[in-house]
Amino acid sequence: MTEEQMLRDLAGLLASHVSAGIVEDFMSYLDAGEPVVGFEVLCDALLDEEEPLTATEGARIRALGNLMGVTRASFRDIDELVVDD
């Protein structure tokens, strides 16, 4: 599975419970060929809106961020949003 496929799968997971606007913004960056920027914007939005995440979603976000070399503070703080699985 490619990085882009993994990011799109993440968007599909989040779409079931995260604000549509957040997911749409994320997808627009992916569609524009800016996956890292989109990922950083996604992490910022999730934290700003205090969107609860499952342990699975948190793990996927961590894995993708590490794969892409993201160091943004919002990515490092994503575990604060994990509530359960």
Side-chain angles (χ1 to χ4, degrees):
M1 182 176 294
T2 68
E3 181 181 293
E4 182 176 345
Q5 289 170 321
M6 293 167 58
L7 290 165
R8 290 183 184 279
D9 284 351
L10 174 62
L13 279 176
L14 296 175
S16 69
H17 65 90
V18 171
S19 162
I22 291 173
V23 176
E24 288 169 7
D25 285 347
F26 176 49
M27 292 300 296
S28 70
Y29 284 100
L30 293 181
D31 293 340
E34 295 288 344
V36 174
V37 175
F39 184 81
E40 290 173 342
V41 168
L42 173 67
C43 290
D44 289 348
L46 291 172
L47 279 167
D48 288 348
E49 298 297 322
E50 298 180 355
E51 292 283 355
L53 301 173
T54 66
T56 299
E57 292 165 341
R60 286 193 188 188
I61 290 170
R62 282 190 307 279
L64 280 163
N66 289 331
L67 179 66
M68 294 186 296
V70 174
T71 59
R72 193 177 193 99
S74 59
F75 166 64
R76 292 190 309 267
D77 295 339
I78 209 72
D79 285 336
E80 295 175 12
L81 300 175
V82 175
V83 292
D84 65 13
D85 198 17

